[in-house]
Amino acid sequence: MSKSLTRVRAALAEAGLDAEILEMADSTRTAENASRAAGCHVDQIAKSIIFRGEDSGHVILFLTAGGNRVDPTKAARVAGQPLGKADAALIRAETGFAIGGVAPIGHLRPITAFFDRRLLDFPQVWAAAGTPRHIFAIAPDRLQAITRSCEADFIA
């Protein structure tokens, strides 16, 4: 089992959740691919969008519904600092995950996170579990709680 997947399992267990992590036959790198694999609406996919805080130098996580796009200007206002592109090395160093499998939990260091209220429209959402082929289902309010993310308006 990969280290990334192990960290996600541990984070779920630490939160007291017995969420089943599923390995899909096909890639779940995109929200569209993940929704097909899970058999759900694309907005039930909780995308982990990562930016680099220009002032802090650290990554900032925006959890958004799969069909939504993050507006960089709104996101910067919410984050309270200018945002830039987080490169693969920074994402890996701070989250422990590779692009395409960034989980919303199990990061190597604490991360500031913001939450798209659209996810709360569903009884269940799906999120990456640390690899491009693993996902897990969770109630969106629980996801918001365990990620300690603040609900905010950052959608384009």
Side-chain angles (χ1 to χ4, degrees):
M1 182 182 319
S2 79
K3 290 178 187 176
S4 296
L5 188 57
T6 299
R7 278 198 327 278
V8 172
R9 281 190 198 283
L12 288 166
E14 185 178 309
L17 298 173
D18 188 24
E20 181 180 10
I21 295 177
L22 302 176
E23 181 175 8
M24 300 304 191
D26 296 318
S27 171
T28 57
R29 283 183 183 268
T30 68
E32 292 78 15
N33 290 347
S35 69
R36 275 194 298 277
C40 67
H41 189 280
V42 70
D43 279 352
Q44 284 181 269
I45 301 301
K47 292 191 299 191
S48 294
I49 306 298
I50 304 281
F51 285 93
R52 177 178 43 81
E54 294 291 336
D55 293 343
S56 69
H58 294 291
V59 299
I60 299 171
L61 171 65
F62 292 85
L63 288 168
T64 186
N68 285 345
R69 293 176 44 103
V70 175
D71 178 308
T73 302
K74 287 181 176 180
R77 191 175 12 225
V78 165
Q81 64 182 304
L83 300 176
K85 182 179 181 190
D87 64 24
L90 180 63
I91 292 170
R92 169 88 67 182
E94 295 206 5
T95 70
F97 303 116
I99 295 172
V102 177
I105 57 173
H107 302 137
L108 295 177
R109 62 174 300 283
I111 290 179
T112 300
F114 298 97
F115 196 85
D116 175 4
R117 67 181 51 96
R118 171 70 172 129
L119 293 167
L120 296 170
D121 290 344
F122 303 98
Q124 175 176 279
V125 296
W126 294 83
T131 82
R133 292 178 54 149
H134 289 87
I135 59 176
F136 66 95
I138 187 169
D141 59 332
R142 292 295 299 141
L143 180 62
Q144 185 177 14
I146 66 174
T147 58
R148 295 181 178 91
S149 52
C150 298
E151 191 176 311
D153 178 16
F154 52 83
I155 301 305

